């Protein structure tokens, strides 16, 4: 996938389906806000591929590629870069 302009592709962090012996229902799970940058457009200078980032809960578009969840969003929707 080739991203255009100032768009960023983020692989979403998968949340646990179970806490201890209890299953977490889908209604109780929150939308992910953390992920790893896997692609950037040609005009992006704020983040780099491989960085862990925080982004707005409802920012961007969720897509599925190869059975993995990704988020495509504008670089301005990235709130912070997390240090490993």
């Amino acid at each position: 996938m080739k991203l255009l302009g100032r768009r960023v592709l983020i692989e979403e962090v998968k949340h646990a389906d179970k806490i201890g012996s209890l299953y977490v229902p889908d209604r109780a799970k929150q939308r992910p806000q953390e992920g790893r940058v896997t692609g950037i457009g040609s005009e992006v200078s704020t983040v780099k591929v491989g960085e862990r980032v925080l982004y707005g809960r409802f920012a961007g578009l969720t897509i599925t590629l190869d059975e993995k969840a990704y988020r495509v969003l504008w670089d301005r929707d990235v709130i912070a870069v997390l240090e490993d």
Side-chain angles (χ1 to χ4, degrees):
M1 174 186 299
K2 180 180 179 181
L3 297 169
L4 302 176
R6 300 183 65 120
R7 291 191 172 80
V8 178
L9 180 68
I10 297 175
E11 183 177 352
E12 296 180 344
V13 173
K14 186 169 176 111
H15 292 286
D17 292 332
K18 199 168 135 177
I19 299 174
S21 62
L22 300 174
Y23 285 94
V24 179
D26 289 337
R27 292 187 350 227
K29 294 178 188 173
Q30 293 185 1
R31 292 181 71 158
Q33 290 182 270
E34 178 185 336
R36 189 162 301 276
V37 177
T38 58
I40 58 174
S42 60
E43 298 176 21
V44 176
S45 61
T46 54
V47 294
K48 296 178 182 128
V49 173
E51 290 182 321
R52 281 184 27 222
V53 295
L54 289 178
Y55 52 89
R57 184 176 309 261
F58 300 106
L61 171 72
T62 302
I63 60 172
T64 303
L65 297 171
D66 299 327
E67 299 182 14
K68 290 184 181 178
Y70 293 91
R71 187 77 62 101
V72 177
L73 47 100
W74 294 100
D75 63 342
R76 67 175 177 254
D77 291 329
V78 174
I79 298 169
V81 175
L82 302 172
E83 296 180 6
D84 289 325

